[in-house]
Amino acid sequence: MTSYLPPSERIWWKVPVGKQEVIWIGIALIWCLIMFFMMPYWHLFGKQNLSNEAYQTTPAKFQARVDEMVAQYQVGEEAGIPIVRPPAGSDVYLLGRLWQWYPILELEKDQSYRIHLSSMDWQHGFSLQPVNINLQIVPGYEMVVTMTPDQAGDYAIVCNEYCGIGHHAMLGKIYVKEN
Amino acid sequence: MAQFRVCPDSGFYFDKSAESLMKVNAIAGAVSLLIAGILAIGVILTRWQEVHLLPADLFYQALTGHGINALIFWIIFFEIAILYFASSTLLRTRLAAPKWAWLGFILMVVGAVMNNVAVAQGNSSVMMTSYAPMQAEPHFYLGLILFAVGALIGVFVFFGTLVIAKDDQTYEGSVPLVTFGAITAAIIAVFTIASGAVILVPTFLWSIGYINHIDAEMYRIIWWGLGHSSQQINVAAHVSVWYLLAGILFGARPMSEKVSRTAFLLYILFLQLACAHHILVDPGISSEWKVFNTSYAMYLAVLASMIHGLTVPGAMEVAQREKGLTKGLFEWLRKAPWGNPVFSGFFFSLVIFGFIGGITGVVMGTEQINLIIHNTIYVPAHFHATVAVGTTLAFMALTYLLIPVLFRRSLFLPWVAKMQPYVFSAGMTIMILFMLGAGTLGVSRRHWDMDFTGAALSFEYPGTAYMMMAVGGIGGVLGILGGAMYLLVTVGSLVFGKKLEPSAGLFQSFGVPLSSGSYNIQQPERLPMAPKLAVEQHGSAGFEAPGTFVLAMALLVSFVVYYFINWDYLASVWPLS
Ligand code: HEM
Ligand SMILES: [Cu+2]
Ligand SMILES: [Cu+2]
């Protein structure tokens, strides 16, 4: 009756609010604050956080970094893509381009690596499976994430940002070895 | 010159030109939904891996068209109709500048057609987000720009109509809550379209070679200023529709005008925020900004939705209890008109939006949790709960109400209409739940082939992921059937439905005014304030709506449990810093 008629009280903002609504608003507000503070809490005590480290770059500059690393640490090749084994704790460069992640990485379990990610062309999505870590890869930007693989195994990088007709075939690999 | 008619069944007054504009906008919306629905068949049957219907190029093309027609054209055309209803009809006033309103409508139609043509030609399969530097044909962007300009004109006609109502004093006291909600939606729309212009105009210039570079990250940030706040328009609009339907069905009054209006105000205050939840895992964006922005400054817009989540069903419960349905906690709900699609559509929209859409949205919008969800099929699952059920089903329910009132036709195949909200909700819920599950297993969105055919390297998703996509596919097909039932009933009613007015012919269904004799009212009587509340109290222990309170607590408990389950899942992935 009244939701689509003018309020029955001219001064509707002075009508007292019922007990039930006050209680609910109180509970909901507390929950909202808990959810809000969970995020800073996790920055302090949680283990999965993104750094804010990122740089502007160009495809050419980033490609040069990748090539340098490949030249230095290549240990093999698979399907025409070099396999690279960078030292633990080092800076690792991984690029996405139509339609490939380059190169293949071989990492050691429980070691940390500073992984630099960028795109040579369009946007791509770094989706590490089956762990399920997902990052947006944007051309012109170099994102740095320190990753610490805590389980040995073969991992795939699925591209999960649409990047044209070959998008579904854009797979990469990360091998994590026991040390 | 008399220009109003009164609907003898509902008592609503219709201004002659507003009436035609509401009709054409609603119909253009339904046509867009039809296109989106046809394309959905291709999309869902391709994602169901065992069927894998379309080749890659057609799949991406269909997905682009599906997203744009459903999310942009269907919803916004329908929202313009709602704005005209909430101003002209609810306030009993003439529409401001009908010529401008027609111009806006024509621009929207031209824009929508142009964009659809671009997508159909095949060189613009860039998805509705059209992320730079992937480029579509210029008329893809131009179509969207024209559509947005047209919509903006519609929004200004709405504001103009409010001014006329105020000047002519067509109502007493303050505007009704439903109109207030529509104002919220319209204000947000102005912001949204402004962001849209800031991003789409340069992108268009870039596509014709006038600008040679668009920064990809800048594009994402501004695009989501548009993309996100446009979702807040939808929320404000469908919450207003919920209040309207609760009012019409049950005579429900807001439990507290102050609380409901403040909640709408929170949407306006905090919506410019929250574009961040789409870019939580992007490079170069500081955590402090992300935390503040993704939570809309401490979740105050979420708080607003939680408030409406209580007050909408609460208003209904109070009204039902006043009618004597006071037994136990839930007699008011059990004895609701479950066979009336206006009610069942409204109620399922509310429940699925709140329980599935709301909870998953907040969870995946949490800064760190987004790491395990970004761009997986979980994301489309979430927004099908919000827009494809929440908004769309609310609008469907409203359509069933408008067919007799606005179009003056009775429902065609009423038993189909009666089943429709059930079929649509069941199908969509199955699709949503299983796609949420598949997303948790890492299946990505906008992805043609989970087998990675032709890739140099290989990867296999677990069997459960395939199973989930298949069950989701079955749900999707059922959802499409539900959508088809809606279109069958609406189009059928406009063409074959029994005329409730002798002059409500075929042309009249599509926007031509009724016979001039129907508009025999110069100016409707002034809209009175709602009658004062009888002081009687129902419910128990000072709780006016105890059943609703129990439902709200159930929502909260599910929310808390699911929220922490996701933190727990996050804690199990590789440490990152
Ligand atoms: C009627 C049944 C529907 C089915 C079966 C369906 C199915 C789907 C599926 C499976 C996807 C995701 C595909 C992928 O990312 O790979 C999708 C995307 C989408 N759907 Fe629907 N949908 C339906 C209705 C709707 C409605 C009513 C709306 C909006 C009001 C909607 C809006 C969207 C949008 C915006 C996208 C995202 C497109 C993109 O990623 O660019 N859908 N739909
Ligand atoms: Cu891709
Ligand atoms: Cu958003």
Side-chain angles (χ1 to χ4, degrees), chain B residues 156-177:
Chain B
F156 282 114
V157 169
F158 165 77
F159 287 130
T161 308
L162 296 179
V163 172
I164 292 180
K166 178 116 197 139
D167 285 354
D168 295 359
Q169 301 188 338
T170 62
Y171 57 97
E172 281 180 51
S174 309
V175 296
L177 179 61

Side-chain angles (χ1 to χ4, degrees), chain B residues 343-494:
Chain B
F343 171 73
S344 57
F346 148 71
F347 199 75
F348 294 147
S349 152
L350 174 73
V351 170
I352 296 172
F353 178 82
F355 274 83
I356 310 182
I359 293 180
T360 56
V362 176
V363 166
M364 72 180 190
T366 303
E367 190 204 355
Q368 296 93 339
I369 294 179
N370 192 254
L371 276 165
I372 52 175
I373 294 178
H374 182 71
N375 271 357
T376 65
I377 195 94
Y378 188 103
V379 177
H382 148 76
F383 64 66
H384 281 77
T386 56
V387 285
V389 181
T391 309
T392 299
L393 189 54
F395 290 0
M396 287 171 165
L398 178 60
T399 314
Y400 296 132
L401 187 98
L402 288 179
I403 286 174
V405 172
L406 171 64
F407 291 93
R408 299 307 284 143
R409 294 283 189 131
S410 61
L411 283 189
F412 175 67
L413 300 180
W415 61 274
V416 175
K418 189 170 158 180
M419 312 258 300
Q420 191 272 336
Y422 292 86
V423 175
F424 186 71
S425 309
M428 293 309 266
T429 304
I430 295 171
M431 177 178 102
I432 291 163
L433 292 178
F434 282 87
M435 285 187 356
L436 289 173
T440 308
L441 295 173
V443 176
S444 57
R445 73 183 286 196
R446 299 177 165 173
H447 200 280
W448 175 62
D449 187 13
M450 29 186 318
D451 288 337
F452 308 100
T453 309
L457 301 164
S458 69
F459 172 66
E460 251 172 65
Y461 281 110
T464 10
Y466 284 85
M467 183 278 287
M468 292 204 175
M469 291 304 283
V471 181
I474 296 169
V477 171
L478 196 60
I480 291 168
L481 180 69
M485 288 162 74
Y486 166 76
L487 290 168
L488 175 68
V489 171
T490 46
V491 177
S493 304
L494 299 196

